[in-house]
Amino acid sequence: MSRVELTVNGRSVAREVEDRTLLVHFLRDHIGLTGTHVGCDTSQCGACVVHLDGRAVKSCTVLAAQASGGEVVTIEGLAAGEDLHPVQAAFREHHGLQCGYCTPGMIMSAVDMIRRYDGQLDEKTVRHELEGNICRCTGYHNIVKAILAAAGTMRQEDMRAAAE
Amino acid sequence: MYQTTYHRPTSLAEAARLFSEAGDAAYVSGGHTLIPAMKLRLSAAANLIDLRHVGELKGISVTADEVAIGAGMTHAEVAGAAEVKGAIPALAGLAGSIGDAQVRHLGTIGGSVANNDPAADYPSAVLALAGTVETDRRAIAADDYFVGLYETALEEGEIVTRVRFRVPEAAGYAKFRNPASRYPMAGVFVARHGDGSVRVAVTGAGNSGVFRAAEMERALAADFSADALKGIALDPADMMGDIHGSAEYRAHLVTVMARRAVQNLGQALAFV
């Protein structure tokens, strides 16, 4: 057993878990954050993407013990109360989901992508960057539209914040 | 996954000591090969020794002749390093073409080189760039390092600490990916060095892992152009054949990818 200590969505959590516990199971089963999904369980589909120390990772391929001491942000940590994160809002606006199963991972990957490219994205880049996230319903078109729209919104917000 | 015990050393010496004391142990770095293998119970180390917090494995240094990358550097860090992009752009491009964005955030060069997956990208660059694999015990020339499928010259408990690459005059990488797994079915790294020699290394296709294509090296040393490779066909008997492609298909792909690598120097291109 290992004592795993994490900051999850800004809150400190600690649990005694088996060393073999995957981060995704730690989040879902031990602290009850079921927004992060298990899809393929083979590091391919991206339904389990969370941010670990500021970078998008597949939480089905990281042990909770490996992550211990780190900071995790999950889909539950994006919205500010009732106000959706711009990427969440864009997915709703542009209908970037059908069944919704892949959506938490898509959104966490999108937030990471927009940050890494400083909002300077085009369609080709978004499609390429989505390589690690699989959606079986939408055909990706509306997901790409939503990410491009959110990148624009976030860039404007950043410019407004910088101006103030 | 079977039960395992996790260890987190903060120095190479501590990691090596834990390994020798533990008996049944494996080093884990990014974990993006080992953890999936453990989940499938293909691998079952009783002890996992995490190298991610060993500071000695970090860092990149570049001189006029050489790029040296700490074994703990992730694919994303190598792909984004301005000094690597400047010295060997095809190497930075190769790092940026591995797996997907999330995998590149954790997977490391040391892990890739230590595991020596027959379809891994990095081994082709190590071989074509006349690299040296440094460990906590010695330095091993690339030509002596890669032994076979998942097999290297590493001894039990030996840790890859750094990978050094010779800066070439020009280099290019091209791979044709399996559309499902995204691993190369043929990846060819071509490098022309300052001494006039040319090295061509092939990953994903050979039936005993990464290898140098001697006939292509000779042809390119005489005439460094894609046309020099026309008509060179590797022997299918040396190629891997499986449900994704026959040995003959892979032999053909190697020549196509080698030509594209030469046509796109300074880049790493992924097809399909």
Side-chain angles (χ1 to χ4, degrees), chain B residues 70-116:
Chain B
M73 299 304 283
T74 65
H75 308 325
E77 287 168 335
V78 174
E83 60 268 49
V84 180
K85 284 196 240 183
I88 317 179
L91 179 63
L94 175 147
S97 80
I98 299 171
D100 54 47
Q102 296 88 356
V103 169
R104 292 192 291 274
H105 282 154
L106 286 174
T108 63
I109 184 170
S112 171
V113 168
N115 188 53
N116 192 21

Side-chain angles (χ1 to χ4, degrees), chain A residues 38-150:
Chain A
V38 180
C40 69
D41 203 26
T42 57
S43 335
Q44 309 214 27
C45 81
C48 67
V49 171
V50 302
H51 297 177
L52 172 61
D53 299 324
R55 290 163 307 177
V57 303
K58 292 180 170 174
S59 62
C60 79
T61 312
V62 181
L63 297 177
Q66 285 175 289
S68 188
E71 279 191 36
V72 174
V73 178
T74 69
I75 187 72
E76 289 93 342
L78 287 187
E82 294 296 305
D83 294 331
L84 292 180
H85 184 280
V87 178
Q88 291 174 307
F91 267 65
R92 187 170 70 173
E93 173 73 20
H94 294 273
H95 199 57
L97 60 144
Q98 286 182 28
C99 87
Y101 199 87
C102 72
T103 311
M106 284 287 177
I107 289 178
M108 297 312 287
S109 293
V111 172
D112 174 74
M113 181 194 314
I114 292 169
R115 238 185 244 151
R116 279 188 289 113
Y117 283 85
D118 208 11
Q120 307 289 324
L121 287 166
D122 54 35
E123 182 185 336
K124 190 172 168 224
T125 308
V126 172
R127 288 186 184 274
H128 175 71
E129 283 285 333
L130 281 180
E131 175 136 28
N133 292 81
I134 295 174
C135 171
R136 298 291 78 161
C137 317
T138 63
Y140 301 96
H141 292 314
N142 288 350
I143 292 174
V144 174
K145 272 187 214 160
I147 295 173
L148 289 170

Side-chain angles (χ1 to χ4, degrees), chain B residues 227-263:
Chain B
D227 282 346
L229 297 171
K230 255 187 197 161
I232 296 183
L234 299 189
D235 187 351
D238 300 328
M239 299 295 124
M240 208 168 359
D242 55 26
I243 56 164
H244 307 297
S246 65
E248 290 75 14
Y249 179 67
R250 279 194 168 84
H252 177 75
L253 268 185
V254 171
T255 304
V256 176
M257 290 302 116
R259 288 168 53 83
R260 291 186 186 174
V262 173
Q263 284 162 344

Side-chain angles (χ1 to χ4, degrees), chain B residues 44-102:
Chain B
N47 292 277
L48 274 185
I49 299 164
D50 189 350
L51 299 176
R52 225 155 57 90
H53 302 269
V54 174
E56 293 141 283
L57 301 179
K58 302 278 194 259
I60 293 175
S61 61
V62 175
T63 66
D65 310 319
E66 198 172 77
V67 169
I69 300 175
M73 299 304 283
T74 65
H75 308 325
E77 287 168 335
V78 174
E83 60 268 49
V84 180
K85 284 196 240 183
I88 317 179
L91 179 63
L94 175 147
S97 80
I98 299 171
D100 54 47
Q102 296 88 356

